[in-house]
């Protein structure tokens, strides 16, 4: 199977677009039964994060990666 994202990340050692994290250090509560992780909750980029974990296992990941951090507006 040819996967352009896997190929890109293997070559670059990082993702092409930052993942999106929610700053959840204040233990925000939403109208949902989903338990949010702390201190950061992954909102978008599950596949890229999974690939990055694979790269880390292969010791081919860069040490730093860009992310987009969102905060709940109060």
């Amino acid at each position: 199977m040819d996967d352009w994202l896997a190929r890109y990340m293997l070559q670059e050692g990082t993702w092409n677009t930052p993942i999106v994290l929610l700053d959840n250090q204040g233990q925000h509560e939403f109208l949902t039964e989903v338990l949010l992780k702390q201190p950061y909750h992954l909102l978008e980029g599950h596949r890229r994060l999974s690939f990055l974990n694979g790269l880390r296992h292969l010791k081919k990941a860069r040490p730093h990666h860009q992310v987009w951090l969102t905060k709940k507006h109060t």
Side-chain angles (χ1 to χ4, degrees), residues 1-2 5 11 13-14 17-18 24 26 28 30 32 37 42 45 49 58 61 64 68-69:
M1 179 167 114
D2 187 34
L5 181 60
Q11 179 179 333
T14 191
T17 303
N24 194 36
H28 298 128
F30 294 94
T32 179
K37 295 190 175 156
L42 179 64
L49 185 59
L58 296 171
H64 301 283
W68 287 330
L69 185 62

Side-chain angles (χ1 to χ4, degrees), residues 30-35:
F30 294 94
L31 298 176
T32 179
E33 293 182 7
V34 175
L35 189 60

Side-chain angles (χ1 to χ4, degrees), residues 23-30 36-39:
D23 183 347
N24 194 36
Q25 296 182 50
Q27 301 179 10
H28 298 128
E29 294 181 17
F30 294 94
L36 299 179
K37 295 190 175 156
Q38 296 174 346

Side-chain angles (χ1 to χ4, degrees), residues 18-66:
I19 61 172
V20 181
L21 301 174
L22 171 68
D23 183 347
N24 194 36
Q25 296 182 50
Q27 301 179 10
H28 298 128
E29 294 181 17
F30 294 94
L31 298 176
T32 179
E33 293 182 7
V34 175
L35 189 60
L36 299 179
K37 295 190 175 156
Q38 296 174 346
Y40 302 104
H41 183 84
L42 179 64
L43 295 176
E44 192 280 329
H46 294 79
R47 186 165 175 246
R48 281 170 280 154
L49 185 59
S50 177
F51 284 174
L52 181 64
N53 285 331
L55 291 177
R56 290 176 62 203
H57 180 75
L58 296 171
K59 300 190 185 317
K60 295 190 179 245
R62 290 185 184 180
H64 301 283
H65 310 274
Q66 291 186 343

